[in-house]
Amino acid sequence: NIGCTKGLQYWATLIKPGGHIAFSEITWLSEKRDPQIEGYWMTEYPEITTVAGNLEKIAQAGLDTIGHFILPPSSWIDSYYKPLMANSESFLARHNHSALSKQIVEATQLEYDLYLSHQSAYSYGFYIARKPQ
C-alpha cells in the first residue's frame, strides 16, 4: 500500500493535462473520534484523514478537485462486509484452516464489528480530480 499521498503524486505524472482521476479513500467524517476507532485506524492506515485533508492531498499533487462524496453505510455493510463474512468458511476451507487464514478472518471480523459500532466516524470518500490544462 503506497497510500493516497504518494499514489496521487504518482498518478498526477501519468495524467494528461485536462485528464481526470477518480478514486476512493478511507475518510474520517469528523474531527472528534472515539479513541478506540482512532487507535485502530492509526495502526492499520495512519494516512487516514478528513475530507479536507484528502482535498489538500489532491491540491498538493497539482490536481483540481472536481467533486467528492461520502459513500453510505450500505456500501460497506451490504456490498463489502456481509459478502466477505458470508464467504469466511469457504475461505478457511480453501486454505485448510491455516493459522494465517484464521487470522485474516478474525481481523476482518474485528474491522466489521468496529465499523458497525463506529460508522458515524468514518467511511470511504469518493473523489474526482482533474489535471489542469
Side-chain angles (χ1 to χ4, degrees):
N1 182 351
I2 66 170
C4 185
T5 301
K6 286 181 183 176
L8 282 171
Q9 291 168 353
Y10 174 74
W11 277 101
T13 67
L14 302 174
I15 301 170
K16 293 180 182 180
H20 293 78
I21 185 171
F23 66 97
S24 63
E25 177 70 349
I26 188 81
T27 303
W28 289 125
L29 301 179
S30 67
E31 294 291 337
K32 187 175 180 179
R33 297 170 285 276
D34 182 285
Q36 178 188 25
I37 197 63
E38 186 157 17
Y40 174 81
W41 280 109
M42 288 297 104
T43 299
E44 294 299 315
Y45 187 65
E47 196 174 335
I48 186 173
T49 189
T50 61
V51 169
N54 287 323
L55 297 179
E56 181 61 29
K57 290 176 187 181
I58 291 169
Q60 288 174 352
L63 304 170
D64 297 326
T65 299
I66 300 300
H68 62 86
F69 60 91
I70 298 297
L71 295 171
S74 62
S75 66
W76 284 74
I77 296 169
D78 299 333
S79 301
Y80 180 67
Y81 285 121
K82 283 184 180 179
L84 195 61
M85 298 315 299
N87 288 308
S88 294
E89 278 306 313
S90 64
F91 173 78
L92 289 169
R94 280 193 316 275
H95 297 281
N96 299 316
H97 292 267
S98 70
L100 180 58
S101 67
K102 289 177 184 176
Q103 288 174 342
I104 291 168
V105 169
E106 289 169 6
T108 303
Q109 183 66 58
L110 172 63
E111 184 179 315
Y112 182 31
D113 292 343
L114 286 170
Y115 182 70
L116 289 175
S117 61
H118 298 282
Q119 61 188 271
S120 64
Y122 64 99
S123 187
Y124 267 94
F126 192 83
Y127 301 86
I128 304 166
R130 181 179 61 81
K131 188 170 186 171
Q133 291 284 1

Short mmCIF file of all heavy atoms in Angstrom, two decimals, residues 48-81:
data_model
loop_
_atom_site.label_atom_id
_atom_site.label_comp_id
_atom_site.label_asym_id
_atom_site.label_seq_id
_atom_site.Cartn_x
_atom_site.Cartn_y
_atom_site.Cartn_z
N ILE A 48 -5.05 7.92 7.08
CA ILE A 48 -6.46 8.30 7.10
C ILE A 48 -6.58 9.76 7.55
O ILE A 48 -5.87 10.22 8.45
CB ILE A 48 -7.28 7.37 8.01
CG1 ILE A 48 -8.78 7.69 7.90
CG2 ILE A 48 -6.79 7.39 9.44
CD1 ILE A 48 -9.68 6.70 8.64
N THR A 49 -7.46 10.50 6.90
CA THR A 49 -7.68 11.90 7.24
C THR A 49 -9.12 12.26 6.89
O THR A 49 -9.90 11.43 6.44
CB THR A 49 -6.66 12.81 6.52
OG1 THR A 49 -6.78 14.15 7.04
CG2 THR A 49 -6.83 12.82 5.02
N THR A 50 -9.46 13.52 7.10
CA THR A 50 -10.80 14.03 6.82
C THR A 50 -10.94 14.37 5.34
O THR A 50 -9.96 14.34 4.58
CB THR A 50 -11.05 15.30 7.64
OG1 THR A 50 -10.07 16.28 7.25
CG2 THR A 50 -10.96 15.04 9.14
N VAL A 51 -12.15 14.74 4.95
CA VAL A 51 -12.38 15.20 3.57
C VAL A 51 -11.43 16.36 3.27
O VAL A 51 -10.75 16.37 2.23
CB VAL A 51 -13.85 15.64 3.36
CG1 VAL A 51 -14.02 16.36 2.03
CG2 VAL A 51 -14.79 14.44 3.43
N ALA A 52 -11.34 17.32 4.18
CA ALA A 52 -10.45 18.47 3.96
C ALA A 52 -9.00 18.02 3.76
O ALA A 52 -8.29 18.54 2.90
CB ALA A 52 -10.55 19.45 5.12
N GLY A 53 -8.57 17.04 4.54
CA GLY A 53 -7.22 16.52 4.39
C GLY A 53 -7.01 15.86 3.04
O GLY A 53 -5.95 16.03 2.42
N ASN A 54 -8.00 15.12 2.57
CA ASN A 54 -7.88 14.49 1.25
C ASN A 54 -7.93 15.51 0.12
O ASN A 54 -7.22 15.37 -0.88
CB ASN A 54 -8.96 13.42 1.07
CG ASN A 54 -8.66 12.19 1.90
OD1 ASN A 54 -7.51 11.79 2.05
ND2 ASN A 54 -9.69 11.59 2.45
N LEU A 55 -8.72 16.55 0.28
CA LEU A 55 -8.75 17.61 -0.73
C LEU A 55 -7.40 18.32 -0.80
O LEU A 55 -6.93 18.70 -1.88
CB LEU A 55 -9.88 18.61 -0.44
CG LEU A 55 -11.29 18.03 -0.49
CD1 LEU A 55 -12.32 19.11 -0.16
CD2 LEU A 55 -11.59 17.37 -1.83
N GLU A 56 -6.75 18.46 0.35
CA GLU A 56 -5.41 19.05 0.38
C GLU A 56 -4.40 18.15 -0.34
O GLU A 56 -3.53 18.64 -1.05
CB GLU A 56 -4.98 19.31 1.83
CG GLU A 56 -3.61 19.94 1.97
CD GLU A 56 -3.48 21.30 1.30
OE1 GLU A 56 -4.48 22.04 1.18
OE2 GLU A 56 -2.35 21.64 0.88
N LYS A 57 -4.52 16.86 -0.16
CA LYS A 57 -3.63 15.93 -0.86
C LYS A 57 -3.79 16.06 -2.38
O LYS A 57 -2.81 15.98 -3.13
CB LYS A 57 -3.91 14.49 -0.43
CG LYS A 57 -3.49 14.19 0.98
CD LYS A 57 -3.91 12.77 1.36
CE LYS A 57 -3.65 12.51 2.82
NZ LYS A 57 -4.03 11.15 3.22
N ILE A 58 -5.03 16.22 -2.82
CA ILE A 58 -5.30 16.40 -4.25
C ILE A 58 -4.60 17.66 -4.74
O ILE A 58 -3.91 17.65 -5.76
CB ILE A 58 -6.82 16.46 -4.52
CG1 ILE A 58 -7.45 15.09 -4.26
CG2 ILE A 58 -7.11 16.94 -5.93
CD1 ILE A 58 -8.96 15.08 -4.23
N ALA A 59 -4.75 18.76 -4.00
CA ALA A 59 -4.13 20.02 -4.38
C ALA A 59 -2.60 19.91 -4.37
O ALA A 59 -1.93 20.42 -5.28
CB ALA A 59 -4.59 21.14 -3.45
N GLN A 60 -2.05 19.24 -3.37
CA GLN A 60 -0.59 19.09 -3.28
C GLN A 60 -0.03 18.28 -4.44
O GLN A 60 1.14 18.44 -4.81
CB GLN A 60 -0.20 18.45 -1.95
CG GLN A 60 -0.36 19.38 -0.77
CD GLN A 60 -0.11 18.69 0.57
OE1 GLN A 60 0.03 17.48 0.65
NE2 GLN A 60 -0.07 19.49 1.63
N ALA A 61 -0.86 17.42 -5.03
CA ALA A 61 -0.43 16.65 -6.19
C ALA A 61 -0.56 17.46 -7.48
O ALA A 61 -0.27 16.95 -8.56
CB ALA A 61 -1.24 15.35 -6.29
N GLY A 62 -1.01 18.72 -7.37
CA GLY A 62 -1.15 19.57 -8.54
C GLY A 62 -2.43 19.34 -9.31
O GLY A 62 -2.53 19.70 -10.49
N LEU A 63 -3.43 18.78 -8.66
CA LEU A 63 -4.71 18.48 -9.30
C LEU A 63 -5.81 19.38 -8.75
O LEU A 63 -5.70 19.89 -7.63
CB LEU A 63 -5.08 17.01 -9.08
CG LEU A 63 -4.05 15.99 -9.54
CD1 LEU A 63 -4.43 14.59 -9.04
CD2 LEU A 63 -3.90 16.01 -11.05
N ASP A 64 -6.84 19.57 -9.54
CA ASP A 64 -8.01 20.34 -9.10
C ASP A 64 -9.13 19.37 -8.74
O ASP A 64 -9.41 18.42 -9.49
CB ASP A 64 -8.51 21.24 -10.24
CG ASP A 64 -7.50 22.29 -10.65
OD1 ASP A 64 -6.74 22.77 -9.77
OD2 ASP A 64 -7.45 22.63 -11.85
N THR A 65 -9.77 19.60 -7.61
CA THR A 65 -10.91 18.77 -7.22
C THR A 65 -12.11 19.15 -8.05
O THR A 65 -12.47 20.32 -8.14
CB THR A 65 -11.22 18.93 -5.72
OG1 THR A 65 -10.08 18.52 -4.96
CG2 THR A 65 -12.43 18.09 -5.32
N ILE A 66 -12.74 18.15 -8.66
CA ILE A 66 -13.97 18.36 -9.43
C ILE A 66 -15.18 18.11 -8.53
O ILE A 66 -16.17 18.80 -8.60
CB ILE A 66 -14.02 17.41 -10.65
CG1 ILE A 66 -12.82 17.67 -11.57
CG2 ILE A 66 -15.32 17.53 -11.41
CD1 ILE A 66 -12.72 19.07 -12.12
N GLY A 67 -15.08 17.10 -7.67
CA GLY A 67 -16.18 16.79 -6.76
C GLY A 67 -15.80 15.66 -5.83
O GLY A 67 -14.76 15.02 -6.01
N HIS A 68 -16.63 15.45 -4.84
CA HIS A 68 -16.41 14.36 -3.89
C HIS A 68 -17.72 14.08 -3.16
O HIS A 68 -18.59 14.94 -3.08
CB HIS A 68 -15.30 14.68 -2.89
CG HIS A 68 -15.59 15.86 -2.03
ND1 HIS A 68 -16.31 15.76 -0.86
CD2 HIS A 68 -15.30 17.17 -2.17
CE1 HIS A 68 -16.42 16.96 -0.31
NE2 HIS A 68 -15.81 17.84 -1.10
N PHE A 69 -17.84 12.85 -2.66
CA PHE A 69 -18.98 12.49 -1.83
C PHE A 69 -18.57 11.33 -0.93
O PHE A 69 -17.57 10.66 -1.18
CB PHE A 69 -20.22 12.13 -2.66
CG PHE A 69 -20.03 10.96 -3.59
CD1 PHE A 69 -20.31 9.67 -3.18
CD2 PHE A 69 -19.58 11.17 -4.89
CE1 PHE A 69 -20.14 8.60 -4.04
CE2 PHE A 69 -19.41 10.11 -5.77
CZ PHE A 69 -19.70 8.82 -5.35
N ILE A 70 -19.34 11.14 0.12
CA ILE A 70 -19.09 10.07 1.08
C ILE A 70 -20.03 8.91 0.75
O ILE A 70 -21.22 9.10 0.55
CB ILE A 70 -19.32 10.55 2.53
CG1 ILE A 70 -18.34 11.69 2.87
CG2 ILE A 70 -19.22 9.41 3.52
CD1 ILE A 70 -16.88 11.30 2.85
N LEU A 71 -19.46 7.70 0.70
CA LEU A 71 -20.27 6.52 0.43
C LEU A 71 -21.14 6.20 1.65
O LEU A 71 -20.70 6.36 2.79
CB LEU A 71 -19.38 5.33 0.10
CG LEU A 71 -18.58 5.49 -1.19
CD1 LEU A 71 -17.57 4.37 -1.32
CD2 LEU A 71 -19.49 5.52 -2.40
N PRO A 72 -22.37 5.74 1.44
CA PRO A 72 -23.27 5.45 2.56
C PRO A 72 -22.87 4.16 3.28
O PRO A 72 -22.17 3.31 2.71
CB PRO A 72 -24.63 5.28 1.86
CG PRO A 72 -24.28 4.81 0.49
CD PRO A 72 -22.99 5.51 0.14
N PRO A 73 -23.32 3.99 4.52
CA PRO A 73 -23.00 2.76 5.26
C PRO A 73 -23.37 1.48 4.51
O PRO A 73 -22.68 0.47 4.63
CB PRO A 73 -23.81 2.90 6.55
CG PRO A 73 -23.93 4.38 6.75
CD PRO A 73 -24.06 4.95 5.35
N SER A 74 -24.43 1.51 3.72
CA SER A 74 -24.84 0.31 2.99
C SER A 74 -23.75 -0.17 2.04
O SER A 74 -23.64 -1.37 1.77
CB SER A 74 -26.14 0.56 2.22
OG SER A 74 -25.95 1.58 1.25
N SER A 75 -22.94 0.74 1.53
CA SER A 75 -21.86 0.32 0.63
C SER A 75 -20.82 -0.51 1.37
O SER A 75 -20.21 -1.41 0.79
CB SER A 75 -21.22 1.52 -0.06
OG SER A 75 -20.54 2.33 0.87
N TRP A 76 -20.63 -0.23 2.64
CA TRP A 76 -19.72 -1.03 3.46
C TRP A 76 -20.38 -2.33 3.90
O TRP A 76 -19.83 -3.41 3.75
CB TRP A 76 -19.34 -0.26 4.72
CG TRP A 76 -18.36 0.83 4.55
CD1 TRP A 76 -18.56 2.06 3.98
CD2 TRP A 76 -16.99 0.82 4.98
NE1 TRP A 76 -17.42 2.80 4.04
CE2 TRP A 76 -16.44 2.06 4.66
CE3 TRP A 76 -16.20 -0.11 5.62
CZ2 TRP A 76 -15.13 2.39 4.94
CZ3 TRP A 76 -14.89 0.21 5.91
CH2 TRP A 76 -14.37 1.45 5.57
N ILE A 77 -21.57 -2.18 4.47
CA ILE A 77 -22.22 -3.33 5.10
C ILE A 77 -22.74 -4.32 4.06
O ILE A 77 -22.37 -5.49 4.07
CB ILE A 77 -23.34 -2.86 6.04
CG1 ILE A 77 -22.74 -2.04 7.19
CG2 ILE A 77 -24.14 -4.05 6.58
CD1 ILE A 77 -23.76 -1.29 8.03
N ASP A 78 -23.59 -3.85 3.17
CA ASP A 78 -24.26 -4.75 2.22
C ASP A 78 -23.37 -5.18 1.06
O ASP A 78 -23.49 -6.31 0.58
CB ASP A 78 -25.53 -4.09 1.67
CG ASP A 78 -26.53 -3.77 2.75
OD1 ASP A 78 -26.53 -4.46 3.79
OD2 ASP A 78 -27.31 -2.81 2.58
N SER A 79 -22.50 -4.29 0.62
CA SER A 79 -21.71 -4.59 -0.57
C SER A 79 -20.30 -5.07 -0.27
O SER A 79 -19.61 -5.55 -1.17
CB SER A 79 -21.62 -3.34 -1.46
OG SER A 79 -22.91 -2.93 -1.84
N TYR A 80 -19.86 -4.95 0.98
CA TYR A 80 -18.50 -5.36 1.30
C TYR A 80 -18.45 -6.37 2.44
O TYR A 80 -18.11 -7.53 2.24
CB TYR A 80 -17.64 -4.13 1.63
CG TYR A 80 -16.21 -4.47 1.98
CD1 TYR A 80 -15.35 -5.00 1.04
CD2 TYR A 80 -15.73 -4.26 3.27
CE1 TYR A 80 -14.03 -5.33 1.37
CE2 TYR A 80 -14.42 -4.58 3.61
CZ TYR A 80 -13.58 -5.10 2.65
OH TYR A 80 -12.29 -5.43 2.98
N TYR A 81 -18.81 -5.93 3.65
CA TYR A 81 -18.64 -6.79 4.81
C TYR A 81 -19.51 -8.04 4.80
O TYR A 81 -19.03 -9.14 5.09
CB TYR A 81 -18.85 -6.02 6.11
CG TYR A 81 -17.72 -5.11 6.47
CD1 TYR A 81 -17.93 -3.74 6.62
CD2 TYR A 81 -16.44 -5.59 6.65
CE1 TYR A 81 -16.88 -2.90 6.96
CE2 TYR A 81 -15.39 -4.75 6.98
CZ TYR A 81 -15.62 -3.40 7.14
OH TYR A 81 -14.59 -2.57 7.47
#
